[in-house]
Each structure stands twice: as C-alpha cells, then as structure tokens.
Amino acid sequence: MTNQDILKIAIAQSAVDLCAEPSDFEKSENVVVTSRENNGARRYLKLPFFCQLVSYGSGVVASVSPEFREIAENYINKYPVEHLFETPHLHVLNDALMEKGQKICFMAEYFLPDVDILRKRTVGDALKRTVGDAGPYEMRLLTQTDFADLYLPEWSNALCEKRKQLDVLGVGAYDGEKLIGLAGCSADCDTMWQIGIDVLPEYRKQGIASALTSRLAIEVLNRGKVPFYCAAWCNIKSVRNALRSGFRPAWVEMMAKPCEMVDGMNK
C-alpha cells in the first residue's frame, strides 16, 4: 500500500464511524452529520455519538445526535479549525454541552504509518550500538493464543482484557525468557488494526518501544490491514515513539460523554 492508499482507507473508516461521506473530510468547510448505529464502525465505539468532532487537517466533521446539532454547528463555525480542539475555545463547547448533560471527554491524535520511512528497527538503532539484526533482545511474533496469560497491568496498553477477542497479533521483546516489552494490535474494524505498546520500566529508553511498534506495523501491513496508533496530545513519550516508529499525524478526534461518566472517571 502507498501512503495515499493508507490515508484513503482511514478516511473511509472515519466516514463509516461518523455516518459521513469520505469527501466530507477533505472539504475546507465544516460538515455536520447525524450519528447512528453502524455495524461497520470501529468495534469499541458506542454509537450513536452525542457529539464527536474529527478533522484530518482541513475542515471539521461533527457527528451528532439531533439534539446537539445546533450546538455543534454554532461551535465549529465560530472559530478557526486549528483552534477548535484546544482551550480556551473548548470551554465554549463544554459549557453548551453541559446544559444537555454532556461534557467533553476523550481527545486524541491518531497516527498512520509512512511507508517511505517505515522499516524494521532494532534496539541498537536508538542507542547507536553495533548489534545484530535482532538487537540485544530477541523479538518474537505472537498470536492470540499467546496472550492468554498476558492480561496483566504491565501490558494494559498493548492488550485489552475487556475486548480479548479483538487482540489478534503482537510482537514481544524478551531478555532470555522474560517478556520485557510488548506491542499488540486489536482488530478494531475490518480494514484497520490499532497498535498499543508497553515496556517494563527498567528496560525503557533503549529503543525497545519503537523496535516493537515498527516491527508490528510491518506485520500488520503484510496482512493487508492498516496499522494505526493513538496518543493523547500531552503524552509526549507516546508521540515520540509514534514518530520514531515511522508513523505520522493523520487526524484528531474529540468525543462528548454524559456528565456522570466523566465525573466518575475523575474521582
């Protein structure tokens, strides 16, 4: 796949998730659509959305329940696109949402692989060591049956216990027989698999995360799927890993959730 192929697949999936048209994400003007349930959407999404904003860098597509349409239209057409996903403007949206029992909840940046720079990395790449192709630690390709005993706190980014059935592929780094790092991916939809990464604290800053992430991304592409990576704006470590691994920023999302849910998460 080319980078353009990968981007086209991601946009097509966002269109399914938001009940929009792929062309809506390439328009300079903003678009508001009505959210509804869709069996083709990413499997962890709870539809319909109350208020979901997505941008690939041009305009914003807002997918909303009917009662939030006016709020979304007023907001996305009031401020420049490049400032709609940040404060102070987000306070305006949050205040309006709260009047209907919602608050801004999840916000994240999503990354897609750049096939022009994506390659199998070794731990030695980051440390500028002279090591073999496999680096100082062994990397092993893992499948769903290998995950059974790995649903532990230290691997909670790579694997999701609540959705075990979606965890389909992984790459582990081993120091002898000790698992020290794990990249896993979940089959979140038919065309795209999401990558998560964990490394034990005492083994960090050796390039293990980027070696595992890039290796898994290549394995996913070899299976005809698009790997994608998600990170919060403030998670600098995760963003740096995405960039070192051959990923580049592709789109951003913001999601509203009921006030009681947001308040419960903050306790």
Side-chain angles (χ1 to χ4, degrees):
M1 283 184 276
T2 67
N3 287 334
Q4 192 59 37
D5 292 333
I6 289 171
L7 180 61
K8 184 177 180 180
I9 290 170
I11 290 176
Q13 185 59 48
S14 290
V16 172
D17 296 341
L18 272 66
C19 299
E21 296 296 328
S23 59
D24 292 338
F25 297 90
E26 300 173 350
K27 295 177 179 177
S28 57
E29 64 269 23
N30 301 318
V31 177
V32 181
V33 297
T34 301
S35 180
R36 62 182 184 275
E37 293 186 9
N38 192 333
N39 291 333
R42 280 176 285 164
R43 296 178 177 106
Y44 57 86
L45 296 176
K46 293 184 179 181
L47 300 176
F49 294 124
F50 299 105
C51 182
Q52 171 92 341
L53 306 186
V54 173
S55 178
Y56 277 78
S58 297
V60 169
V61 177
S63 184
V64 300
S65 296
E67 64 269 30
F68 293 92
R69 187 179 188 92
E70 184 176 358
I71 290 174
E73 285 181 336
N74 290 341
Y75 177 70
I76 65 177
N77 292 320
K78 184 174 183 179
Y79 304 109
V81 170
E82 59 269 21
H83 297 301
L84 288 174
F85 292 81
E86 65 179 12
T87 57
H89 299 330
L90 275 179
H91 291 300
V92 173
L93 177 59
N94 197 60
D95 289 346
L97 290 171
M98 286 181 64
E99 293 181 3
K100 292 184 177 291
Q102 302 288 315
K103 286 183 179 180
I104 294 170
C105 187
F106 301 118
M107 298 171 59
E109 184 172 20
Y110 289 80
F111 299 77
L112 292 172
D114 183 341
V115 297
D116 295 329
I117 61 173
L118 179 67
R119 62 185 177 86
K120 289 185 179 180
R121 296 173 56 87
T122 69
V123 176
D125 288 336
L127 296 180
K128 301 187 186 307
R129 294 177 179 170
T130 301
V131 297
D133 289 342
Y137 305 114
E138 181 186 0
M139 291 189 190
R140 302 177 190 172
L141 188 65
L142 306 175
T143 59
Q144 200 167 50
T145 56
D146 299 310
F147 299 148
D149 298 325
L150 298 180
Y151 287 95
L152 304 169
E154 55 264 42
W155 312 123
S156 59
N157 290 309
L159 302 174
C160 180
E161 189 168 14
K162 292 181 179 179
R163 297 187 294 271
K164 291 181 179 181
Q165 73 280 7
L166 299 183
D167 294 330
V168 292
L169 194 66
V171 179
Y174 290 81
D175 187 355
E177 290 303 311
K178 179 182 180 180
L179 181 63
I180 62 171
L182 176 63
C185 63
S186 57
D188 289 344
C189 55
D190 291 342
T191 58
M192 301 178 69
W193 293 358
Q194 182 172 191
I195 292 178
I197 177 72
D198 289 293
V199 177
L200 296 180
E202 62 269 29
Y203 287 90
R204 292 173 186 169
K205 298 184 178 180
Q206 298 185 52
I208 294 171
S210 59
L212 292 173
T213 303
S214 60
R215 187 71 61 89
L216 183 55
I218 291 170
E219 294 289 346
V220 172
L221 284 168
N222 287 343
R223 287 160 175 76
K225 308 295 183 181
V226 171
F228 70 105
Y229 186 105
C230 175
W233 280 269
C234 58
N235 193 343
I236 300 300
K237 291 185 294 185
S238 186
V239 171
R240 285 175 176 164
N241 178 58
L243 298 177
R244 282 195 297 263
S245 302
F247 284 75
R248 294 294 179 262
W251 79 94
V252 293
E253 296 188 6
M254 188 283 299
M255 182 184 298
K257 288 290 186 180
C259 292
E260 58 269 22
M261 174 182 169
V262 178
D263 293 343
M265 295 175 67
N266 285 328
K267 288 183 180 179

